[in-house]
């Protein structure tokens, strides 16, 4: 078994890395919370014996206590620099303001608000009337194609990878392109449908982050699902759940 | 505003989105956690300016992803995940430096001690054996040092700072000690196994 490992480093990473029994960070948080002694026994037993989870717990505790012990002068300096740069953090804000400016300014003018509301009501009335006229004159479909209800279909497309049994952890996910799609939402799910990863992209592939790759442990079945949306946010296609699994001897990277 | 919980501040931010009050909520929320993120980044980078840059990127990421916060965990846990992942990604992006520094340490250990602990293991044993040896021989700190360095690929100086190791050679000393312990534990296991095999029963 060990001959499959290319180096000591890989072997140690494998042995010390997370297993499928390791809980998520959100669940680990429970161990730090008050009443941690009331944790389910299998969870607390796992925490006692799992070096990976103990390390994660240490990191979480270190982070949460970081603010309480603001005793280091250097920490204060960094925090001070951050306060000074907070405007840079919120840099996208001016863009948002520019986007809303013309109409939001119009509404702020007191005398114009009722007029704008009136215009909006008129537009709604015209829109409804137009829709009514359209539906009243809708041409009938021919013969056997006619059905009782309107059906809006989303096209199905396929996940190209990851699928099936994998020799290596997937570094990227790829799927068939949907012509009408403006963006895709991809999710990795566990068999109980717990979400492992969710991301959005505008192209037909995406890199799987390293931290997510690390969660793909050998022999654990996962599902990949991609949903395509058009520019108005309407679903235009979906792949359904596609199973994949890292083979037992495919964990070495 | 100061009395509100983090999660309540986020709720208020969402309801006031687009109004000036939203930014006030966000400023208050992030300011509460400046020190936490600053302290963490300082442990990762070891210097004030790099830590401030890293922390700024983390808050920018948190700001951009705030809509994904579902309230299934505490805000600090959510922020911790972003902080840890961003820092680890940053460390990995300096992979060349990492690779060099790690290999130097490993070479030194091997040269100084002439111990090829895991090579010996590779010839005979499985991952399960190594897991058992780690569990039985290493203390909690050694285990954490190995996990941070080998699993999270954290450089040794960052590991020392994260774990608050104050001994002179920091995490490196724990790696040396862990490997020494593993070698001894393996030898003990080997002799036990040989005795059992000679006695007619093989220990798995």
């Amino acid at each position: 078994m060990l001959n499959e490992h290319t180096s000591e480093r890989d072997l140690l990473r494998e042995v010390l890395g997370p297993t499928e029994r390791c809980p998520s960070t959100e669940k680990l948080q429970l161990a730090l919370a008050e009443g941690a002694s009331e944790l389910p026994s299998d969870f607390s037993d796992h925490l006692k014996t799992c070096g990976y989870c103990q390390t994660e717990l240490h990191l979480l505790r270190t982070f949460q206590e970081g603010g309480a012990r603001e005793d280091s002068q250097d920490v204060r300096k960094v925090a001070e620099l951050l306060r000074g740069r907070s405007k840079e953090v919120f840099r996208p804000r001016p863009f948002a303001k520019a986007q809303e400016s013309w109409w939001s300014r119009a509404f702020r003018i007191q005398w114009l608000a009722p007029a704008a509301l009136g215009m909006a009501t008129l537009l709604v009335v015209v829109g409804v009337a137009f829709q009514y006229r359209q539906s009243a004159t809708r041409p009938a479909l021919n013969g056997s194609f006619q059905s009782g209800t309107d059906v809006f279909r989303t096209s199905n497309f396929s996940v190209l990878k990851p699928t099936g049994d994998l020799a290596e952890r997937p570094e990227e996910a790829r799927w068939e392109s949907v012509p009408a799609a403006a963006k895709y939402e991809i999710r990795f799910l566990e068999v109980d449908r717990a979400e492992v990863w969710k991301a959005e992209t505008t192209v037909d592939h995406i890199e799987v982050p390293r931290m997510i790759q690390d969660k793909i442990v050998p022999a654990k079945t996962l599902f990949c699902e991609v949903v395509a949306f058009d520019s108005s946010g309407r679903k235009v296609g979906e792949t359904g759940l596609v199973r994949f699994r890292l083979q037992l001897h495919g964990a070495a990277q | 505003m100061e009395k509100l919980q983090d999660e309540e501040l986020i709720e208020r931010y969402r309801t006031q989105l687009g109004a000036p009050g939203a930014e006030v909520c966000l400023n208050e929320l992030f300011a509460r956690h400046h020190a936490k993120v600053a302290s963490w980044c300082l442990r990762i980078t070891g210097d004030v300016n790099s830590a401030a840059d890293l922390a700024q990127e983390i808050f920018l990421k948190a700001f951009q992803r705030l809509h994904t916060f579902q309230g299934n965990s505490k805000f600090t846990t959510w922020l911790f995940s972003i902080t840890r992942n961003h820092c680890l990604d940053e460390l990995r992006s300096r992979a060349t430096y990492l690779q060099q520094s790690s290999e130097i340490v490993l070479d030194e250990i091997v040269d100084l001690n002439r111990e090829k602990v895991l090579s010996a293991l590779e010839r005979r044993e499985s991952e399960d054996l190594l897991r058992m040896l780690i569990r039985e021989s290493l203390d909690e700190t050694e285990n954490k040092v190995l996990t941070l360095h080998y699993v999270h690929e954290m450089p040794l100086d960052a590991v020392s700072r994260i774990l608050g190791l104050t001994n002179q050679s920091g995490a490196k000393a724990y790696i040396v000690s862990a490997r020494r312990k593993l070698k001894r534990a393996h030898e003990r296991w080997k002799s036990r196994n040989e005795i059992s095999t000679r006695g007619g029963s093989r220990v798995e």
Side-chain angles (χ1 to χ4, degrees):
Chain A
M1 186 189 293
L2 296 180
N3 292 338
E4 293 174 9
H5 294 281
T6 52
S7 69
E8 292 179 0
R9 184 176 300 280
D10 291 331
L11 176 61
L12 278 167
R13 187 184 297 147
E14 184 61 35
V15 167
L16 295 162
T19 68
E20 55 192 13
R21 293 187 57 214
C22 293
S24 64
T25 309
E26 287 74 22
K27 285 183 186 163
L28 271 181
Q29 168 197 291
L30 298 174
L32 293 182
E34 284 178 32
S37 55
E38 295 163 14
L39 291 174
S41 60
D42 57 337
F43 182 38
S44 54
D45 288 348
H46 176 77
L47 288 186
K48 279 177 202 157
T49 54
C50 178
Y52 182 83
C53 286
Q54 285 168 8
T55 308
E56 286 296 292
L57 209 51
H58 178 93
L59 297 181
L60 183 57
R61 191 181 291 120
T62 303
F63 179 77
Q64 294 195 339
E65 288 173 354
R69 294 187 281 116
E70 200 184 348
D71 49 359
S72 152
Q73 200 180 342
D74 284 344
V75 172
R76 280 202 297 272
K77 270 189 207 168
V78 176
E80 193 57 44
L81 281 171
L82 275 176
R83 270 188 284 277
R85 295 178 187 182
S86 61
K87 283 209 186 312
E88 287 178 53
V89 171
F90 305 132
R91 198 179 289 155
R93 299 289 304 164
F95 174 72
K97 275 180 185 171
Q99 288 289 307
E100 66 180 13
S101 59
W102 73 266
W103 63 267
S104 60
R105 269 204 309 272
F107 270 94
R108 264 185 234 123
I109 301 171
Q110 294 296 315
W111 61 265
L112 199 54
L117 273 173
M119 285 291 286
T121 311
L122 187 64
L123 275 173
V124 168
V125 170
V126 168
V128 168
F130 181 74
Q131 184 65 28
Y132 179 76
R133 279 174 63 84
Q134 285 282 91
S135 61
T137 59
R138 177 189 287 180
L141 289 173
N142 289 332
S144 60
F145 292 106
Q146 194 166 4
S147 67
T149 56
D150 287 335
V151 178
F152 294 95
R153 292 188 190 282
T154 55
S155 66
N156 288 328
F157 59 105
S158 302
V159 172
L160 302 176
K161 62 180 183 179
T163 62
D165 287 345
L166 309 172
E168 292 176 343
R169 289 191 169 93
E171 291 178 354
E172 72 159 10
R174 194 171 278 274
W175 51 89
E176 289 174 341
S177 186
V178 177
K183 73 169 182 181
Y184 300 91
E185 182 185 280
I186 178 171
R187 294 196 302 159
F188 282 1
L189 305 164
E190 293 185 354
V191 287
D192 63 357
R193 307 297 189 268
E195 193 172 281
V196 176
W197 177 52
K198 183 177 172 182
E200 284 184 5
T201 177
T202 54
V203 291
D204 60 2
H205 59 275
I206 190 168
E207 193 178 324
V208 180
R210 187 58 186 269
M211 285 305 292
I212 302 304
Q213 289 183 40
D214 289 345
K215 289 182 182 174
I216 302 172
V217 293
K220 181 178 181 178
T221 296
L222 293 169
F223 294 112
C224 175
E225 181 185 50
V226 184
V227 181
F229 297 93
D230 67 12
S231 55
S232 61
R234 197 170 61 98
K235 190 196 284 187
V236 291
E238 60 190 337
T239 62
L241 295 176
V242 178
R243 176 194 159 282
F244 70 96
R245 189 180 69 151
L246 182 63
Q247 288 174 343
L248 200 56
H249 303 302
Q253 290 182 33
Chain B
M1 178 103 34
E2 286 169 9
K3 288 177 184 170
L4 292 177
Q5 299 283 315
D6 290 346
E7 294 73 22
E8 291 171 322
L9 268 177
I10 294 169
E11 201 49 49
R12 188 172 284 197
Y13 163 73
R14 284 173 178 163
T15 55
Q16 296 187 359
L17 205 60
E23 198 164 318
V24 177
C25 293
L26 212 53
N27 273 324
E28 167 67 20
L29 177 71
F30 285 178
R32 285 179 187 182
H33 302 291
H34 275 164
K36 279 189 182 69
V37 176
S39 170
W40 182 274
C41 293
L42 205 52
R43 284 167 190 257
I44 291 287
T45 63
D47 85 277
V48 169
N49 287 321
S50 308
D53 291 344
L54 198 57
Q56 185 182 340
E57 289 165 14
I58 288 164
F59 278 112
L60 180 58
K61 202 172 247 185
F63 170 59
Q64 288 167 340
R65 294 185 182 177
L66 199 57
H67 66 281
T68 67
F69 178 72
Q70 305 282 325
N72 298 330
S73 64
K74 283 167 63 180
F75 175 73
T76 48
T77 308
W78 182 81
L79 185 61
F80 162 74
S81 295
I82 290 182
T83 304
R84 186 196 56 177
N85 295 348
H86 187 80
C87 288
L88 291 176
D89 288 347
E90 176 65 23
L91 289 173
R92 284 182 191 122
S93 72
R94 303 176 194 171
T96 314
Y97 157 74
L98 250 177
Q99 194 70 21
Q100 284 169 355
S101 66
S102 303
E103 293 308 331
I104 288 166
V105 171
L106 284 174
D107 289 348
E108 282 173 3
I109 293 166
V110 173
D111 289 342
L112 285 173
N113 300 287
R114 295 180 185 284
E115 292 170 358
K116 290 208 167 187
V117 183
L118 297 172
S119 300
L121 281 175
E122 275 175 0
R123 283 193 298 272
R124 295 201 56 186
E125 303 306 337
S126 67
E127 292 170 3
D128 287 341
L129 172 61
L130 183 55
R131 278 197 190 93
M132 184 193 77
L133 296 179
I134 286 173
R135 201 167 47 238
E136 290 182 351
S137 330
L138 304 190
D139 65 32
E140 209 177 308
T141 308
E142 288 162 343
N143 214 322
K144 284 175 185 166
V145 169
L146 289 183
T147 304
L148 290 174
H149 186 57
Y150 290 106
V151 180
H152 292 308
E153 300 176 21
M154 226 182 240
L156 292 175
D157 51 350
V159 174
S160 303
R161 286 190 296 267
I162 281 284
L163 295 179
L165 305 176
T166 51
N167 57 316
Q168 199 179 357
S169 46
K172 183 178 167 183
Y174 285 87
I175 288 193
V176 173
S177 132
R179 292 167 69 89
R180 219 177 258 157
K181 282 185 182 177
L182 282 177
K183 182 182 187 308
R184 283 194 208 121
H186 178 243
E187 282 167 356
R188 279 199 301 276
W189 179 88
K190 211 163 53 177
S191 59
R192 276 204 312 268
N193 202 27
E194 280 168 2
I195 290 166
S196 305
T197 310
R198 263 188 253 129
S201 65
R202 185 178 161 75
V203 175
E204 293 298 330

